[in-house]
Amino acid sequence: MNRKKLLPILLFLLLLLILLCLWCHTETVVKNQIKSSHTTITAPLKSTNSKTINFNLSKDKNSFELQGNFSNQEELEKILIDLGANQLKNSSNIDETLTQNSKVIALTQSLIPIFSEKYDKGSITYENEKLIVEGSVTNRADKDAISTLLANSTILSVNNTIVVTPQPTAEELAAIETQKEAKEARKNAIIEEKAKKIEAKIQKIIAFEDINFELNKARLTEKSIKTISHIATLLKENPEVRVKIGGHTDDLGDDTHNLNLSQQRVDAVKNSLISMDIAEHRIDAIGYGETQPLVSNDTEENRRKNRRVEFKIVGE
């Protein structure tokens, strides 16, 4: 090839080579500048093997037992001091590799007074980063007090306390029964005194106008119905009492006839009271015939006295 023709080609190739070198150099410089303008920050990894304290404080009546692992003696002593002079079995350990947890210790300290005084049996357990209170109390307010303390803490916690009704002792049951009997006796005394007063009023009513029937029959006279209405008024004013009506005859006639007649007559009085809005369950009516005379049936006057209707007031 002619040298004159080859020279321009060589110059052109040389120029391309120079340009390529310049471009590569420039790109390298830019990359280094970009790299040098950034700082790499590496966050430390949180240890997944971190261990914290754990313990179980249990109570059975007046005895306590503490088991678990604490990070130092100070943590342990805070729990022991708050338990005071209670009977305590301590089988806990000190492990300085454990992570301290002052919040858990403080929360436990705040729980111990209520736990110690109000719980018959129970436990306070801290394990797997959760504090659990279990046991039973006899008062809802005691459980709520524990719940409030737990709620005011940031510690993950559960209150499994239950409220139970205490069973009374034999002595307490005896005292309750004595009080019940005394109360019943006072009530009966009041009713008995009241019954006497009501009976006295009924006697006055009957003395003014006796209860009579048609001859040898169980039909009340008009005046007797009016007398019974006065008795009904007394019973309405004293709804806490009941009335027992007794029917009696003289000895004239057959015994069986007299017994039946007396029953029919008190039934008539009872039905009359019921018609005047006195509840049936408040009335007992029994006929005795001639079996309970007030006086001897030797005169007409005495036989008249024995033919009678009696009212006995009693409590419900």
Side-chain angles (χ1 to χ4, degrees):
M1 182 180 292
N2 193 314
R3 286 186 175 184
K4 290 183 179 181
K5 291 182 179 181
L6 183 61
L7 183 61
I9 295 172
L10 292 174
L11 290 173
F12 177 76
L13 292 174
L14 180 61
L15 179 61
L16 286 177
L17 180 61
I18 292 171
L19 291 173
L20 180 61
C21 290
L22 289 173
W23 181 82
C24 290
H25 176 72
T26 302
E27 185 178 22
T28 301
V29 171
V30 171
K31 286 183 177 181
N32 289 336
Q33 288 177 345
I34 293 173
K35 185 175 181 180
S36 63
S37 65
H38 288 78
T39 302
T40 301
I41 300 175
T42 304
L45 293 176
K46 185 177 181 180
S47 174
T48 57
N49 297 321
S50 176
K51 295 191 297 181
T52 185
I53 63 173
N54 57 83
F55 60 84
N56 174 266
L57 173 62
S58 60
K59 180 187 180 187
D60 186 356
K61 299 189 182 302
N62 294 322
S63 299
F64 292 81
E65 182 173 2
L66 180 61
Q67 298 175 313
N69 299 286
F70 295 86
S71 65
N72 56 63
Q73 187 66 28
E74 184 181 358
E75 283 184 333
L76 174 59
E77 288 179 352
K78 286 181 178 179
I79 302 296
L80 297 178
I81 290 173
D82 284 320
L83 288 172
N86 291 293
Q87 299 178 25
L88 173 65
K89 178 182 178 182
N90 177 25
S91 55
S92 53
N93 303 306
I94 302 299
D95 184 350
E96 295 181 352
T97 66
L98 299 179
T99 302
Q100 296 186 39
N101 200 324
S102 58
K103 290 184 178 180
V104 171
I105 298 299
L107 177 57
T108 304
Q109 286 181 285
S110 69
L111 297 173
I112 285 177
I114 300 175
F115 180 74
S116 177
E117 181 180 353
K118 302 297 184 180
Y119 284 64
D120 186 43
K121 290 184 178 181
S123 64
I124 301 175
T125 304
Y126 183 70
E127 191 173 20
N128 297 325
E129 299 186 353
K130 179 187 291 186
L131 191 142
I132 302 173
V133 180
E134 296 181 306
S136 61
V137 292
T138 58
N139 192 315
R140 178 74 193 185
D142 296 329
K143 178 180 179 179
D144 291 343
I146 292 288
S147 296
T148 299
L149 290 171
L150 295 178
N152 290 335
S153 172
T154 58
I155 304 298
L156 182 62
S157 60
V158 177
N159 185 6
N160 290 333
T161 302
I162 60 173
V163 180
V164 297
T165 303
Q167 295 298 319
T169 63
E171 292 78 7
E172 290 172 335
L173 287 173
I176 292 171
E177 188 63 27
T178 299
Q179 292 175 356
K180 183 179 178 181
E181 291 174 355
K183 183 178 180 180
E184 190 68 21
R186 289 194 297 271
K187 178 183 176 182
N188 291 338
I190 292 172
I191 293 177
E192 185 177 351
E193 185 64 27
K194 195 170 191 178
K196 289 179 180 179
K197 292 179 180 180
I198 296 172
E199 282 184 20
K201 290 180 180 180
I202 291 176
Q203 291 303 321
K204 288 182 179 180
I205 293 172
I206 294 176
F208 181 76
E209 185 61 57
D210 201 357
I211 296 177
N212 296 306
F213 302 86
E214 293 183 8
L215 182 62
N216 207 31
K217 294 182 180 179
R219 183 177 296 172
L220 289 160
T221 64
E222 290 297 325
K223 288 184 178 180
S224 296
I225 293 174
K226 186 175 181 180
T227 300
I228 292 172
S229 70
H230 294 313
I231 296 173
T233 299
L234 281 175
L235 294 175
K236 289 177 183 178
E237 292 173 351
N238 299 276
E240 71 280 7
V241 300
R242 295 170 52 245
V243 60
K244 290 185 176 182
I245 307 171
H248 305 271
T249 67
D250 58 27
D251 65 346
L252 297 179
D254 180 74
D255 292 352
T256 302
H257 171 76
N258 287 339
L259 184 63
N260 291 336
L261 180 62
S262 65
Q263 185 62 53
Q264 292 169 4
R265 285 179 169 178
V266 291
D267 285 341
V269 176
K270 176 180 178 179
N271 291 333
S272 182
L273 287 171
I274 292 173
S275 71
M276 298 173 186
D277 298 326
I278 303 301
E280 183 176 359
H281 74 273
R282 296 180 61 196
I283 309 169
D284 291 329
I286 302 175
Y288 297 98
E290 60 185 82
T291 61
Q292 297 181 10
L294 285 177
V295 293
S296 175
N297 284 294
D298 54 359
T299 66
E300 180 56 34
E301 177 62 22
N302 284 350
R303 284 192 288 271
R304 186 191 66 77
K305 291 179 180 179
N306 288 331
R307 296 191 297 269
R308 68 196 188 278
V309 175
E310 295 179 330
F311 293 85
K312 176 70 175 177
I313 302 298
V314 295
E316 283 282 12

